[in-house]
Amino acid sequence: MKSGNLGYPRIGLERQWKKALESFWTGELAEADLHTRLKEIRLSNLRLQQEKGIDIIPVGDFTYYDHVLDTAVMFGLIPRRFGYEGGTPSLSVYYAMARGSKDAAACEMTKWFNTNYHYIVPELDGARPVLTGNRLLEAYAEAKEELGIEGRPVLVGPLTFVKLAKGYAPGELGDWVRRLLPLYVQVLRELAEAGVQWVQVDEPILSTNVTAEELALAEELYGQLVREVPDLRLFLQTYFEAVEAYEKVVALPVHGIGLDFVHDGGRNLEAVLRCGFPDGKVLGVGLVDGRNIWACDPDDKLKVLAALRNGVEDSRLVVQPSCSLLHVPVSTVKETGLDPVLHGALAFADQKLEETVLLTKAGKLGEAAVAAELEALRKGRAALNESSFRNKAGVRKQMAGLAAQPVTRAGTFEERRERQEKRWQLPLLPTTTIGSFPQTPEVRSARRKWRKGEWTEEQYQRFIREEIGRWIGIQQELGLDVLVHGEFERNDMVEFFGEKLEGFAFTGNGWVQSYGSRCVKPPVIFGDVEYTAPMTVAETVYAQSLSEAPVKGMLTGPVTILNWSFVRDDLPRRDVAFQIALALRQEVEALEAAGIGMIQVDEPALREGLPLKQLLVEEYLEWTVKAFRLSTSTVKDETQIHTHMCYCEFQDMIGTIRALDADVISIETSRSHGELIASFEEETYELGIGLGVYDIHSPRVPPAAEMEGMIRRALQVLSPRQFWINPDCGLKTRRMLETVAALGNMVQAAKQVRTELEGGGAGA
């Protein structure tokens, strides 16, 4: 029996990776220095895994931005608009694909299965695949030469890669897989010639609802890979759910299969015990949770391992995390400020490696050999479960009476719309933003001074009010119709609320990668969630006092708080969402009572939590809709409820979006605007909607004419009465000058099309 790992966080304990990338993008760091710094981080990550005692260490999981983007670039799948002319792609081309440039829009970005990580979507339309370099060979050689590590290269599998790409017709999946297959063969052959023994090929798509045709394609392609490179052993890794069609997957012509035994709902284990596991193949046993931060229950894990050992010899077992550890923070070593009861129940990436090795030792040597370490895990979990944090009488009483709580607005949407239009008197195509404005160095500096005690509460609040006032003035000068206060007091849209609710804790260094260099520090929901006092009323009311135009109250919704947090594992996620929803409802009511008549409850992460299995989706959507409506259903009809979603395949979610019963929803669509608009030609949507008319993830400032085109296209399928104009997401990460310029162009575009509508022109 061996221990293995599937991937390690790229960012470094101090987020050195993020800082290096951003210094390079701003011109402060030369390209040669960027390579040097990233190599230092990469080798440090490998060295740590070696020192922890991991037997099988992945190489090639490190990236300069995103592992799917790496695969696309390695295969020369670079859209023409980036000016690539062959050869080794430059970093400027690589980063232009990820972030855009002044001449070319960035590639689309979307979530990685049902995680909070986002990848760059490969574009296959018109592409001619060619191998531009073997990055896995370089990673393997570096690990071996520098550290003596016989690493296992990690590669996104061909079926998953093409399924996650865009730019081809549904019937062309097999054609594209076969077109890429020679390049995969070439990569693997070069690895085999260099002495590589095993390659990890990630195929998480096999944990989704794959078809019989796709399974037949997988059998064909892996059969060819094994025939073409007979000296190499392929380890096919799945994760995030139970595999679809277990017997067919484990029969694929590969040498090892990795399965998730944490997030499989018990289905992978049941399938192995019922059907057996093929002789001669290695089984990767995903025992340690790679997606959450809690110390494992050793008795539960060893029970699973014991059951598997009844049918699979120890020599064919690899104990490993359930997925790559890029989804969890690096280490708990710096979390000295946490309550000891909570700290004792945590495990970040480094601790998960230790758990992996511990479970392997318990399996090989017997539990008695590691009894003290196992008992420490048991005590840590028990102390938290028995604590007052998880046993609040008031919250438990609320939850017991959940069935009596209102989840429906008093009036229908049409009734509400009449009252809201009468109250607000907004023009056609009203303009607004999603909520946040640039978090400048001055804003971040002020927050640091306040947190460190260098500024008093009075000094900090004075600064926040000055920023609110400045940006209310900017919005009025630009001519926006509905304003926001800018969220300058908020470090993060989830962390801010967690800091003000009971049941949350915050790490000092618990950063994880969201996309590119964007790192987030998710709150930890470790106890019962309880509302104690207003959280956003003071800033919103102050902003409203500065303008006659409406100012939206801005809240993060219950499902997004849930999905963007590390969530306790002793309750169903549904119950935790309802606890959050009941707390947020009190804040919604407090805003309304203070005179705020537009309240935005954002759910950008609602879709991110979708189960991979269709049979589980309906149940998830049912309780997430209920959680949102628990938060918003007690307001008056004339109070307008807004919400926002990110990266939403609208055509798949229209029923759910309608069921939320929000008066206005804004959807992040600028990178796939045309595809979304096309869905309205098949579906009818009658509520208010704002389709993002420019991409806030790029520094590019699109001209007004470009946005006008997007608006006119949308008006072919949407009524002007329901259509709002907005950026596609919050503006927190952008700089001030580009923000003002882009919003100015947006307002200009809206006014131009509005004039055409009022004059009976195009789109009327």
Side-chain angles (χ1 to χ4, degrees), residues 483-511:
L483 315 184
V484 296
H485 80 278
E487 304 180 19
F488 304 106
E489 78 285 7
R490 306 184 189 183
N491 44 3
D492 175 82
M493 67 181 292
V494 173
E495 185 173 351
F496 172 81
F497 291 96
E499 287 178 337
K500 297 179 179 296
L501 294 168
E502 292 291 327
F504 287 75
F506 299 89
T507 61
N509 210 48
W511 299 99

PDB file of all heavy atoms in Angstrom, residues 483-511:
ATOM      1  N   LEU A 483     -27.857  53.726  -8.075  1.00  0.00           N
ATOM      2  CA  LEU A 483     -26.503  53.820  -7.536  1.00  0.00           C
ATOM      3  C   LEU A 483     -26.248  52.726  -6.497  1.00  0.00           C
ATOM      4  O   LEU A 483     -27.166  52.055  -6.027  1.00  0.00           O
ATOM      5  CB  LEU A 483     -26.295  55.195  -6.898  1.00  0.00           C
ATOM      6  CG  LEU A 483     -26.791  56.424  -7.683  1.00  0.00           C
ATOM      7  CD1 LEU A 483     -26.410  57.702  -6.946  1.00  0.00           C
ATOM      8  CD2 LEU A 483     -26.253  56.427  -9.096  1.00  0.00           C
ATOM      9  N   VAL A 484     -24.984  52.583  -6.143  1.00  0.00           N
ATOM     10  CA  VAL A 484     -24.566  51.703  -5.049  1.00  0.00           C
ATOM     11  C   VAL A 484     -23.583  52.465  -4.174  1.00  0.00           C
ATOM     12  O   VAL A 484     -23.014  53.467  -4.598  1.00  0.00           O
ATOM     13  CB  VAL A 484     -23.900  50.407  -5.581  1.00  0.00           C
ATOM     14  CG1 VAL A 484     -24.887  49.576  -6.368  1.00  0.00           C
ATOM     15  CG2 VAL A 484     -22.674  50.737  -6.422  1.00  0.00           C
ATOM     16  N   HIS A 485     -23.380  51.986  -2.973  1.00  0.00           N
ATOM     17  CA  HIS A 485     -22.470  52.725  -2.079  1.00  0.00           C
ATOM     18  C   HIS A 485     -21.017  52.320  -2.267  1.00  0.00           C
ATOM     19  O   HIS A 485     -20.120  53.009  -1.799  1.00  0.00           O
ATOM     20  CB  HIS A 485     -22.908  52.569  -0.620  1.00  0.00           C
ATOM     21  CG  HIS A 485     -22.494  51.279   0.030  1.00  0.00           C
ATOM     22  ND1 HIS A 485     -23.189  50.101  -0.127  1.00  0.00           N
ATOM     23  CD2 HIS A 485     -21.455  50.988   0.844  1.00  0.00           C
ATOM     24  CE1 HIS A 485     -22.605  49.144   0.568  1.00  0.00           C
ATOM     25  NE2 HIS A 485     -21.533  49.648   1.173  1.00  0.00           N
ATOM     26  N   GLY A 486     -20.749  51.218  -2.967  1.00  0.00           N
ATOM     27  CA  GLY A 486     -19.391  50.869  -3.362  1.00  0.00           C
ATOM     28  C   GLY A 486     -18.708  49.797  -2.566  1.00  0.00           C
ATOM     29  O   GLY A 486     -17.653  49.295  -2.965  1.00  0.00           O
ATOM     30  N   GLU A 487     -19.228  49.479  -1.358  1.00  0.00           N
ATOM     31  CA  GLU A 487     -18.725  48.356  -0.552  1.00  0.00           C
ATOM     32  C   GLU A 487     -17.281  48.532  -0.096  1.00  0.00           C
ATOM     33  O   GLU A 487     -16.537  47.556   0.045  1.00  0.00           O
ATOM     34  CB  GLU A 487     -18.903  47.031  -1.313  1.00  0.00           C
ATOM     35  CG  GLU A 487     -20.334  46.775  -1.732  1.00  0.00           C
ATOM     36  CD  GLU A 487     -20.533  45.477  -2.483  1.00  0.00           C
ATOM     37  OE1 GLU A 487     -19.668  44.588  -2.385  1.00  0.00           O
ATOM     38  OE2 GLU A 487     -21.551  45.356  -3.181  1.00  0.00           O
ATOM     39  N   PHE A 488     -16.864  49.762   0.183  1.00  0.00           N
ATOM     40  CA  PHE A 488     -15.471  50.015   0.578  1.00  0.00           C
ATOM     41  C   PHE A 488     -15.149  49.458   1.959  1.00  0.00           C
ATOM     42  O   PHE A 488     -13.987  49.253   2.300  1.00  0.00           O
ATOM     43  CB  PHE A 488     -15.187  51.514   0.521  1.00  0.00           C
ATOM     44  CG  PHE A 488     -15.484  52.108  -0.819  1.00  0.00           C
ATOM     45  CD1 PHE A 488     -16.604  52.902  -1.021  1.00  0.00           C
ATOM     46  CD2 PHE A 488     -14.668  51.824  -1.905  1.00  0.00           C
ATOM     47  CE1 PHE A 488     -16.897  53.413  -2.274  1.00  0.00           C
ATOM     48  CE2 PHE A 488     -14.960  52.329  -3.158  1.00  0.00           C
ATOM     49  CZ  PHE A 488     -16.077  53.129  -3.342  1.00  0.00           C
ATOM     50  N   GLU A 489     -16.181  49.228   2.751  1.00  0.00           N
ATOM     51  CA  GLU A 489     -15.974  48.686   4.090  1.00  0.00           C
ATOM     52  C   GLU A 489     -15.832  47.166   4.070  1.00  0.00           C
ATOM     53  O   GLU A 489     -15.577  46.557   5.109  1.00  0.00           O
ATOM     54  CB  GLU A 489     -17.142  49.083   4.998  1.00  0.00           C
ATOM     55  CG  GLU A 489     -18.415  48.274   4.827  1.00  0.00           C
ATOM     56  CD  GLU A 489     -19.235  48.601   3.579  1.00  0.00           C
ATOM     57  OE1 GLU A 489     -18.764  49.383   2.724  1.00  0.00           O
ATOM     58  OE2 GLU A 489     -20.355  48.076   3.447  1.00  0.00           O
ATOM     59  N   ARG A 490     -15.955  46.560   2.869  1.00  0.00           N
ATOM     60  CA  ARG A 490     -15.990  45.101   2.781  1.00  0.00           C
ATOM     61  C   ARG A 490     -14.701  44.559   2.187  1.00  0.00           C
ATOM     62  O   ARG A 490     -14.308  44.937   1.089  1.00  0.00           O
ATOM     63  CB  ARG A 490     -17.184  44.654   1.929  1.00  0.00           C
ATOM     64  CG  ARG A 490     -18.497  45.236   2.424  1.00  0.00           C
ATOM     65  CD  ARG A 490     -19.682  44.729   1.651  1.00  0.00           C
ATOM     66  NE  ARG A 490     -20.891  45.467   2.025  1.00  0.00           N
ATOM     67  CZ  ARG A 490     -22.097  45.213   1.553  1.00  0.00           C
ATOM     68  NH1 ARG A 490     -22.260  44.236   0.670  1.00  0.00           N
ATOM     69  NH2 ARG A 490     -23.134  45.936   1.942  1.00  0.00           N
ATOM     70  N   ASN A 491     -14.087  43.668   2.893  1.00  0.00           N
ATOM     71  CA  ASN A 491     -12.889  43.007   2.385  1.00  0.00           C
ATOM     72  C   ASN A 491     -13.248  41.957   1.332  1.00  0.00           C
ATOM     73  O   ASN A 491     -12.546  41.774   0.355  1.00  0.00           O
ATOM     74  CB  ASN A 491     -12.114  42.359   3.538  1.00  0.00           C
ATOM     75  CG  ASN A 491     -13.038  41.610   4.496  1.00  0.00           C
ATOM     76  OD1 ASN A 491     -14.251  41.507   4.295  1.00  0.00           O
ATOM     77  ND2 ASN A 491     -12.459  41.080   5.553  1.00  0.00           N
ATOM     78  N   ASP A 492     -14.359  41.277   1.536  1.00  0.00           N
ATOM     79  CA  ASP A 492     -14.800  40.209   0.637  1.00  0.00           C
ATOM     80  C   ASP A 492     -16.308  40.078   0.795  1.00  0.00           C
ATOM     81  O   ASP A 492     -16.853  40.283   1.892  1.00  0.00           O
ATOM     82  CB  ASP A 492     -14.112  38.892   1.008  1.00  0.00           C
ATOM     83  CG  ASP A 492     -14.611  37.725   0.183  1.00  0.00           C
ATOM     84  OD1 ASP A 492     -14.126  37.553  -0.947  1.00  0.00           O
ATOM     85  OD2 ASP A 492     -15.500  36.992   0.676  1.00  0.00           O
ATOM     86  N   MET A 493     -16.992  39.738  -0.282  1.00  0.00           N
ATOM     87  CA  MET A 493     -18.452  39.749  -0.261  1.00  0.00           C
ATOM     88  C   MET A 493     -19.050  38.667   0.627  1.00  0.00           C
ATOM     89  O   MET A 493     -20.226  38.757   1.005  1.00  0.00           O
ATOM     90  CB  MET A 493     -19.006  39.634  -1.681  1.00  0.00           C
ATOM     91  CG  MET A 493     -18.758  38.325  -2.382  1.00  0.00           C
ATOM     92  SD  MET A 493     -19.431  38.318  -4.075  1.00  0.00           S
ATOM     93  CE  MET A 493     -21.202  38.349  -3.743  1.00  0.00           C
ATOM     94  N   VAL A 494     -18.292  37.654   0.970  1.00  0.00           N
ATOM     95  CA  VAL A 494     -18.769  36.642   1.902  1.00  0.00           C
ATOM     96  C   VAL A 494     -18.160  36.858   3.283  1.00  0.00           C
ATOM     97  O   VAL A 494     -18.856  36.831   4.302  1.00  0.00           O
ATOM     98  CB  VAL A 494     -18.449  35.224   1.381  1.00  0.00           C
ATOM     99  CG1 VAL A 494     -18.798  34.170   2.426  1.00  0.00           C
ATOM    100  CG2 VAL A 494     -19.218  34.951   0.091  1.00  0.00           C
ATOM    101  N   GLU A 495     -16.867  37.105   3.318  1.00  0.00           N
ATOM    102  CA  GLU A 495     -16.187  37.273   4.604  1.00  0.00           C
ATOM    103  C   GLU A 495     -16.799  38.408   5.417  1.00  0.00           C
ATOM    104  O   GLU A 495     -16.946  38.310   6.638  1.00  0.00           O
ATOM    105  CB  GLU A 495     -14.699  37.536   4.373  1.00  0.00           C
ATOM    106  CG  GLU A 495     -13.883  37.616   5.654  1.00  0.00           C
ATOM    107  CD  GLU A 495     -12.395  37.706   5.385  1.00  0.00           C
ATOM    108  OE1 GLU A 495     -11.977  37.532   4.232  1.00  0.00           O
ATOM    109  OE2 GLU A 495     -11.647  37.954   6.353  1.00  0.00           O
ATOM    110  N   PHE A 496     -17.179  39.495   4.747  1.00  0.00           N
ATOM    111  CA  PHE A 496     -17.755  40.637   5.442  1.00  0.00           C
ATOM    112  C   PHE A 496     -18.969  40.224   6.265  1.00  0.00           C
ATOM    113  O   PHE A 496     -19.123  40.607   7.429  1.00  0.00           O
ATOM    114  CB  PHE A 496     -18.142  41.720   4.434  1.00  0.00           C
ATOM    115  CG  PHE A 496     -18.909  42.864   5.035  1.00  0.00           C
ATOM    116  CD1 PHE A 496     -18.243  43.881   5.700  1.00  0.00           C
ATOM    117  CD2 PHE A 496     -20.300  42.911   4.946  1.00  0.00           C
ATOM    118  CE1 PHE A 496     -18.960  44.934   6.273  1.00  0.00           C
ATOM    119  CE2 PHE A 496     -21.009  43.955   5.516  1.00  0.00           C
ATOM    120  CZ  PHE A 496     -20.340  44.972   6.175  1.00  0.00           C
ATOM    121  N   PHE A 497     -19.875  39.441   5.665  1.00  0.00           N
ATOM    122  CA  PHE A 497     -21.084  39.035   6.383  1.00  0.00           C
ATOM    123  C   PHE A 497     -20.778  37.991   7.441  1.00  0.00           C
ATOM    124  O   PHE A 497     -21.379  37.994   8.524  1.00  0.00           O
ATOM    125  CB  PHE A 497     -22.132  38.530   5.387  1.00  0.00           C
ATOM    126  CG  PHE A 497     -22.673  39.636   4.528  1.00  0.00           C
ATOM    127  CD1 PHE A 497     -22.151  39.873   3.265  1.00  0.00           C
ATOM    128  CD2 PHE A 497     -23.667  40.475   4.995  1.00  0.00           C
ATOM    129  CE1 PHE A 497     -22.617  40.908   2.479  1.00  0.00           C
ATOM    130  CE2 PHE A 497     -24.144  41.518   4.218  1.00  0.00           C
ATOM    131  CZ  PHE A 497     -23.616  41.746   2.959  1.00  0.00           C
ATOM    132  N   GLY A 498     -19.854  37.118   7.125  1.00  0.00           N
ATOM    133  CA  GLY A 498     -19.487  36.117   8.116  1.00  0.00           C
ATOM    134  C   GLY A 498     -18.915  36.722   9.383  1.00  0.00           C
ATOM    135  O   GLY A 498     -19.124  36.208  10.489  1.00  0.00           O
ATOM    136  N   GLU A 499     -18.204  37.843   9.235  1.00  0.00           N
ATOM    137  CA  GLU A 499     -17.630  38.504  10.403  1.00  0.00           C
ATOM    138  C   GLU A 499     -18.703  39.078  11.321  1.00  0.00           C
ATOM    139  O   GLU A 499     -18.454  39.314  12.502  1.00  0.00           O
ATOM    140  CB  GLU A 499     -16.690  39.627   9.958  1.00  0.00           C
ATOM    141  CG  GLU A 499     -15.388  39.136   9.383  1.00  0.00           C
ATOM    142  CD  GLU A 499     -14.490  40.264   8.914  1.00  0.00           C
ATOM    143  OE1 GLU A 499     -15.015  41.361   8.621  1.00  0.00           O
ATOM    144  OE2 GLU A 499     -13.271  40.044   8.844  1.00  0.00           O
ATOM    145  N   LYS A 500     -19.892  39.293  10.777  1.00  0.00           N
ATOM    146  CA  LYS A 500     -20.958  39.926  11.554  1.00  0.00           C
ATOM    147  C   LYS A 500     -22.034  38.952  11.991  1.00  0.00           C
ATOM    148  O   LYS A 500     -22.997  39.344  12.649  1.00  0.00           O
ATOM    149  CB  LYS A 500     -21.563  41.076  10.736  1.00  0.00           C
ATOM    150  CG  LYS A 500     -20.550  42.196  10.447  1.00  0.00           C
ATOM    151  CD  LYS A 500     -21.144  43.311   9.617  1.00  0.00           C
ATOM    152  CE  LYS A 500     -20.136  44.413   9.352  1.00  0.00           C
ATOM    153  NZ  LYS A 500     -19.688  45.105  10.561  1.00  0.00           N
ATOM    154  N   LEU A 501     -21.915  37.708  11.606  1.00  0.00           N
ATOM    155  CA  LEU A 501     -22.859  36.676  12.011  1.00  0.00           C
ATOM    156  C   LEU A 501     -22.180  35.697  12.960  1.00  0.00           C
ATOM    157  O   LEU A 501     -20.990  35.397  12.817  1.00  0.00           O
ATOM    158  CB  LEU A 501     -23.379  35.923  10.787  1.00  0.00           C
ATOM    159  CG  LEU A 501     -24.237  36.708   9.790  1.00  0.00           C
ATOM    160  CD1 LEU A 501     -24.403  35.906   8.505  1.00  0.00           C
ATOM    161  CD2 LEU A 501     -25.587  37.070  10.384  1.00  0.00           C
ATOM    162  N   GLU A 502     -22.926  35.176  13.908  1.00  0.00           N
ATOM    163  CA  GLU A 502     -22.401  34.127  14.777  1.00  0.00           C
ATOM    164  C   GLU A 502     -22.286  32.824  13.985  1.00  0.00           C
ATOM    165  O   GLU A 502     -23.057  32.568  13.062  1.00  0.00           O
ATOM    166  CB  GLU A 502     -23.334  33.918  15.974  1.00  0.00           C
ATOM    167  CG  GLU A 502     -23.380  35.074  16.952  1.00  0.00           C
ATOM    168  CD  GLU A 502     -22.084  35.237  17.727  1.00  0.00           C
ATOM    169  OE1 GLU A 502     -21.427  34.218  18.001  1.00  0.00           O
ATOM    170  OE2 GLU A 502     -21.727  36.383  18.042  1.00  0.00           O
ATOM    171  N   GLY A 503     -21.313  31.995  14.361  1.00  0.00           N
ATOM    172  CA  GLY A 503     -21.152  30.694  13.721  1.00  0.00           C
ATOM    173  C   GLY A 503     -20.061  30.649  12.681  1.00  0.00           C
ATOM    174  O   GLY A 503     -19.776  29.588  12.124  1.00  0.00           O
ATOM    175  N   PHE A 504     -19.445  31.815  12.394  1.00  0.00           N
ATOM    176  CA  PHE A 504     -18.376  31.901  11.410  1.00  0.00           C
ATOM    177  C   PHE A 504     -17.040  32.160  12.107  1.00  0.00           C
ATOM    178  O   PHE A 504     -16.976  32.828  13.140  1.00  0.00           O
ATOM    179  CB  PHE A 504     -18.623  33.055  10.431  1.00  0.00           C
ATOM    180  CG  PHE A 504     -19.724  32.804   9.444  1.00  0.00           C
ATOM    181  CD1 PHE A 504     -21.053  32.863   9.839  1.00  0.00           C
ATOM    182  CD2 PHE A 504     -19.440  32.510   8.122  1.00  0.00           C
ATOM    183  CE1 PHE A 504     -22.080  32.651   8.928  1.00  0.00           C
ATOM    184  CE2 PHE A 504     -20.455  32.293   7.201  1.00  0.00           C
ATOM    185  CZ  PHE A 504     -21.773  32.364   7.609  1.00  0.00           C
ATOM    186  N   ALA A 505     -15.988  31.672  11.493  1.00  0.00           N
ATOM    187  CA  ALA A 505     -14.631  31.988  11.936  1.00  0.00           C
ATOM    188  C   ALA A 505     -13.813  32.355  10.710  1.00  0.00           C
ATOM    189  O   ALA A 505     -14.179  32.017   9.574  1.00  0.00           O
ATOM    190  CB  ALA A 505     -14.001  30.800  12.659  1.00  0.00           C
ATOM    191  N   PHE A 506     -12.684  33.036  10.946  1.00  0.00           N
ATOM    192  CA  PHE A 506     -11.869  33.528   9.834  1.00  0.00           C
ATOM    193  C   PHE A 506     -10.410  33.209  10.070  1.00  0.00           C
ATOM    194  O   PHE A 506      -9.867  33.472  11.128  1.00  0.00           O
ATOM    195  CB  PHE A 506     -12.089  35.042   9.658  1.00  0.00           C
ATOM    196  CG  PHE A 506     -13.505  35.337   9.339  1.00  0.00           C
ATOM    197  CD1 PHE A 506     -14.422  35.547  10.354  1.00  0.00           C
ATOM    198  CD2 PHE A 506     -13.950  35.290   8.041  1.00  0.00           C
ATOM    199  CE1 PHE A 506     -15.755  35.732  10.072  1.00  0.00           C
ATOM    200  CE2 PHE A 506     -15.276  35.476   7.739  1.00  0.00           C
ATOM    201  CZ  PHE A 506     -16.187  35.704   8.760  1.00  0.00           C
ATOM    202  N   THR A 507      -9.838  32.620   9.058  1.00  0.00           N
ATOM    203  CA  THR A 507      -8.429  32.263   9.131  1.00  0.00           C
ATOM    204  C   THR A 507      -7.581  33.492   8.861  1.00  0.00           C
ATOM    205  O   THR A 507      -8.036  34.464   8.247  1.00  0.00           O
ATOM    206  CB  THR A 507      -8.101  31.180   8.103  1.00  0.00           C
ATOM    207  OG1 THR A 507      -8.382  31.694   6.788  1.00  0.00           O
ATOM    208  CG2 THR A 507      -8.944  29.928   8.334  1.00  0.00           C
ATOM    209  N   GLY A 508      -6.345  33.440   9.279  1.00  0.00           N
ATOM    210  CA  GLY A 508      -5.430  34.533   8.988  1.00  0.00           C
ATOM    211  C   GLY A 508      -4.763  34.377   7.640  1.00  0.00           C
ATOM    212  O   GLY A 508      -4.388  35.362   7.002  1.00  0.00           O
ATOM    213  N   ASN A 509      -4.629  33.120   7.202  1.00  0.00           N
ATOM    214  CA  ASN A 509      -3.875  32.871   5.974  1.00  0.00           C
ATOM    215  C   ASN A 509      -4.491  31.739   5.144  1.00  0.00           C
ATOM    216  O   ASN A 509      -3.794  31.092   4.371  1.00  0.00           O
ATOM    217  CB  ASN A 509      -2.427  32.508   6.339  1.00  0.00           C
ATOM    218  CG  ASN A 509      -1.435  32.929   5.285  1.00  0.00           C
ATOM    219  OD1 ASN A 509      -1.466  34.058   4.822  1.00  0.00           O
ATOM    220  ND2 ASN A 509      -0.561  32.028   4.893  1.00  0.00           N
ATOM    221  N   GLY A 510      -5.797  31.569   5.292  1.00  0.00           N
ATOM    222  CA  GLY A 510      -6.452  30.440   4.623  1.00  0.00           C
ATOM    223  C   GLY A 510      -6.859  30.735   3.205  1.00  0.00           C
ATOM    224  O   GLY A 510      -8.015  30.552   2.818  1.00  0.00           O
ATOM    225  N   TRP A 511      -5.894  31.152   2.372  1.00  0.00           N
ATOM    226  CA  TRP A 511      -6.168  31.560   0.999  1.00  0.00           C
ATOM    227  C   TRP A 511      -6.271  30.358   0.063  1.00  0.00           C
ATOM    228  O   TRP A 511      -5.519  29.393   0.186  1.00  0.00           O
ATOM    229  CB  TRP A 511      -5.059  32.476   0.481  1.00  0.00           C
ATOM    230  CG  TRP A 511      -4.909  33.742   1.264  1.00  0.00           C
ATOM    231  CD1 TRP A 511      -3.998  34.001   2.246  1.00  0.00           C
ATOM    232  CD2 TRP A 511      -5.691  34.935   1.127  1.00  0.00           C
ATOM    233  NE1 TRP A 511      -4.174  35.273   2.737  1.00  0.00           N
ATOM    234  CE2 TRP A 511      -5.200  35.875   2.066  1.00  0.00           C
ATOM    235  CE3 TRP A 511      -6.766  35.302   0.306  1.00  0.00           C
ATOM    236  CZ2 TRP A 511      -5.747  37.147   2.196  1.00  0.00           C
ATOM    237  CZ3 TRP A 511      -7.305  36.560   0.438  1.00  0.00           C
ATOM    238  CH2 TRP A 511      -6.800  37.473   1.374  1.00  0.00           C
TER     239      TRP A 511
END
